[in-house]
Amino acid sequence: MNCQICGAHLPEGAMFCGGCGSSTSATPTTRKRADPRPSDTTIIQPLAPRTTVISVPLWPAGTGPTDDQPAGALPADAPSGEGGHPPARPLGAHAEAPAEKAEPARYTLQFSTGETVSVRGTGLIGRRPLPQPSERFDHLIQITDLGMSVSKSHLEFGQHDGEFWVNDRFSGNGTVVRRAPAPALRCEPGRRYLVARGARVEIGDQFFMVL
């Protein structure tokens, strides 16, 4: 079985593609995954103004993609570390994995609801986060949201080469990444976006800081 979005080979019974993060039931024209649980998210009206989703990361001068490198992949010499992070950008489906798997970095997520959680590895965030049967996460972070603007499983997070990423799980009110001076970035559901330390990730009426 192959992913209909990126073409990667998938193991039998896989719910999501390990390469691009898309649902195995997604097609190039519709990538939305049905939540097996009833939806009781309160949709915020009106939603915050949408911004244009940048589907290709910004490349430093002279380091653009070559003919044999996918446009969505990260440049080999992309800056890293607190002072050198580029703006939040989508993580390409074909980005190369590191030769040696390093221990995941530790991040602190500081929520507007009062929770502060130290994380390392992968996780789900929501009012009642629930993995699919084939999924395994290091953290399941449940946050309080009496207005129910945050979905049950609102977003997924993880790391790529030590950098933090988020992936909106087709939530009712979406996910927005903000870090000045870059413009606000509304995340396309089902796609991973790198998020630098100091950025603010908005989920419904709530948000968390990545530290």
Side-chain angles (χ1 to χ4, degrees):
M1 179 172 66
N2 294 327
C3 176
Q4 298 186 58
I5 302 300
C6 67
H9 178 72
L10 304 176
E12 189 67 28
M15 299 292 293
F16 292 91
C17 174
C20 67
S22 299
S23 167
T24 54
S25 62
T27 67
T29 57
T30 172
R31 302 172 67 176
K32 186 167 184 178
R33 173 183 60 83
D35 190 332
R37 298 170 296 166
S39 174
D40 61 356
T41 300
T42 300
I43 303 301
I44 301 171
Q45 296 293 342
L47 291 176
R50 287 182 174 270
T51 57
T52 302
V53 175
I54 303 173
S55 58
V56 179
L58 300 178
W59 296 79
T63 61
T66 59
D67 292 339
D68 58 350
Q69 185 176 26
L74 301 178
D77 57 351
S80 60
E82 176 113 18
H85 279 293
R89 61 194 187 278
L91 178 60
H94 302 288
E96 293 294 334
E100 295 184 4
K101 186 176 181 180
E103 183 178 4
R106 185 171 294 281
Y107 286 83
T108 298
L109 308 184
Q110 192 173 77
F111 290 86
S112 56
T113 53
E115 296 94 338
T116 298
V117 184
S118 179
V119 299
R120 179 178 300 194
T122 61
L124 280 179
I125 297 175
R127 287 186 294 107
R128 285 189 292 157
L130 177 68
Q132 295 294 329
S134 61
E135 294 179 317
R136 297 293 181 272
F137 293 99
D138 299 311
H139 306 275
L140 296 178
I141 302 177
Q142 182 173 355
I143 65 174
T144 303
D145 180 35
L146 298 180
M148 296 193 298
S149 65
V150 177
S151 296
K152 294 174 183 177
S153 293
H154 197 106
L155 67 78
E156 172 187 356
F157 67 83
Q159 291 186 36
H160 173 79
D161 287 352
E163 293 191 79
F164 192 82
W165 57 258
V166 296
N167 173 19
D168 184 90
R169 301 269 289 204
F170 299 93
S171 63
N173 288 308
T175 299
V176 176
V177 177
R178 297 182 188 273
R179 185 180 184 184
L185 178 65
R186 180 170 290 275
C187 300
E188 176 187 347
R191 189 169 192 178
R192 298 174 181 177
Y193 290 79
L194 294 177
V195 180
R197 293 183 190 270
R200 166 171 162 154
V201 181
E202 298 178 355
I203 50 176
D205 281 336
Q206 308 300 335
F207 67 87
F208 63 90
M209 303 295 298
V210 179
L211 307 173

